[in-house]
Amino acid sequence: MQAGEAWGRRWTENSLPMARAFMEAACRKKSLVCLAADRSTMAELNHLIDEVGPHLAALKTHVDLVDDWTPEAWSAFCSKATAADLLIFEDRKFADIGGISRKQMSGVYDIRSWADLVTAHLISGPDIVDGLQAGWEDVGRNGGVLLLAQMSSRGNLLNPAYTAQVVALGKTHPGVFGFIGNGSRPEELKLLRQAVGDGKLIWTPGVNLEVGDGEMGQRYGDPREAVLAGSDCIIVGSGIHKAENPALQAEAYAKASWSAFNERLK
Ligand code: S5P
């Protein structure tokens, strides 16, 4: 099936190149899984991608938690991810004013040069999205911003009124790829999907085949329920990288997400 047919209105109502690149990748890989590659050495990261790359549609990084980071090692790692047909998503959670966010796209890590997607909080106002987009323009690249509309962690301060404002500002901004929603609470996610409509994607952390509480206030919901509630991509970290057999688990998440996606189409 062509990506346009599979994604329906999510495809026709969203012309951001990076959003379509994701929808196409998901169809090629038959997976709505983004791996949260929260490992702290380059060797572990490289090993993880070798093991699970075929089952993923995207790769999420926290570049600042790698102990032995060097520009050369990171560049080789990004090439490996691209060869595995993965979009690269730096979960930097930018939150500063637009001009500083633009500068933070460069610096030591030079995120603008290798990330296809980044996260941002909208707490400082909508200019942050323009700042981040300007960061990509500075190096002649395209990218997409995922705005945090909800969070998965217990006690977070993103209440329904705040979520509604993030959605209202983000859904009409052409630089916004989509929103981060809470994968651990399908009922909250359904409300988010209603507010967002079909024009933007929703990606959800807080997803695990073992539903319940995680470490330090993390909460987990079921991948199938998240997709049925309107998630377009499940972000899975420890469910895969802490598994005894990460490849088998990644395959299980890919299958669960893809069958729920097909169920949603019917
Ligand atoms: O609300 C959020 C938003 C994000 S991006 N809750 C989250 O957990 N995340 C990220 O998703 C978090 O930074 C981590 O990298 C990943 C979840 O990892 P897991 O091991 O709990 O699956």
Side-chain angles (χ1 to χ4, degrees):
M1 200 192 296
Q2 296 292 311
E5 203 184 325
W7 287 92
R9 291 178 58 188
R10 300 270 214 284
W11 178 272
T12 50
E13 293 188 21
N14 194 331
S15 56
L16 188 76
M18 203 50 79
R20 291 199 166 174
F22 166 70
M23 290 187 257
E24 285 173 334
C27 289
R28 278 194 302 275
K29 305 290 283 288
K30 293 194 168 28
S31 170
L32 301 187
V33 178
C34 172
L35 171 71
D38 297 333
R39 289 264 175 101
S40 46
T41 66
M42 290 308 312
E44 288 172 328
L45 283 167
N46 281 310
H47 183 58
L48 192 57
I49 293 301
D50 287 338
E51 275 186 298
V52 307
H55 308 297
L56 311 176
L59 169 73
K60 186 174 88 60
T61 55
H62 280 300
V63 67
D64 52 356
L65 56 79
V66 181
D67 295 330
D68 56 350
W69 190 92
T70 62
E72 296 74 28
W74 193 256
S75 169
F77 172 65
C78 289
S79 301
K80 189 191 273 288
T82 306
D85 197 11
L86 302 174
L87 290 184
I88 306 177
F89 165 22
E90 169 56 22
D91 187 10
R92 169 65 177 70
K93 298 189 179 73
F94 291 94
D96 215 315
I97 58 171
I100 293 298
S101 299
R102 178 185 194 166
K103 289 186 179 175
Q104 288 173 323
M105 285 286 270
S106 56
V108 171
Y109 293 124
D110 203 25
I111 293 170
R112 61 189 181 173
S113 295
W114 48 266
D116 301 308
L117 299 166
V118 297
T119 34
H121 285 289
L122 209 58
I123 193 78
S124 60
D127 289 287
I128 190 168
V129 180
D130 300 313
L132 296 170
Q133 285 294 346
W136 277 304
E137 278 160 30
D138 290 339
V139 289
R141 294 186 74 240
N142 272 319
V145 178
L146 276 152
L147 293 174
L148 285 119
Q150 296 176 333
M151 290 197 75
S152 63
S153 45
R154 100 182 144 205
N156 72 73
L157 305 182
L158 282 64
N159 63 28
Y162 177 83
T163 299
Q165 291 193 62
V166 171
V167 171
L169 287 166
K171 73 193 260 193
T172 55
H173 197 302
V176 173
F177 172 94
F179 299 94
I180 295 291
N182 176 8
S184 77
R185 295 290 181 275
E187 61 287 0
E188 284 178 23
L189 201 50
K190 275 186 202 152
L191 296 175
L192 180 65
R193 175 50 75 192
Q194 275 169 20
V196 169
D198 285 310
K200 300 286 183 193
L201 298 169
I202 298 178
W203 286 28
T204 54
V207 169
N208 199 296
L209 286 165
E210 278 176 38
V211 172
D213 288 343
E215 276 176 13
M216 303 188 94
Q218 176 69 300
R219 301 172 297 182
Y220 291 116
D222 177 66
R224 173 175 169 271
E225 283 186 36
V227 173
L228 293 180
S231 168
D232 300 311
C233 182
I234 53 167
I235 298 174
V236 184
S238 33
I240 294 175
H241 67 75
K242 283 200 180 151
E244 218 164 279
N245 187 332
L248 266 185
Q249 275 308 93
E251 190 180 6
Y253 281 96
K255 281 191 174 152
S257 66
W258 193 248
S259 72
F261 179 62
N262 282 296
E263 201 179 319
R264 190 171 87 188
L265 285 179
K266 285 175 197 151

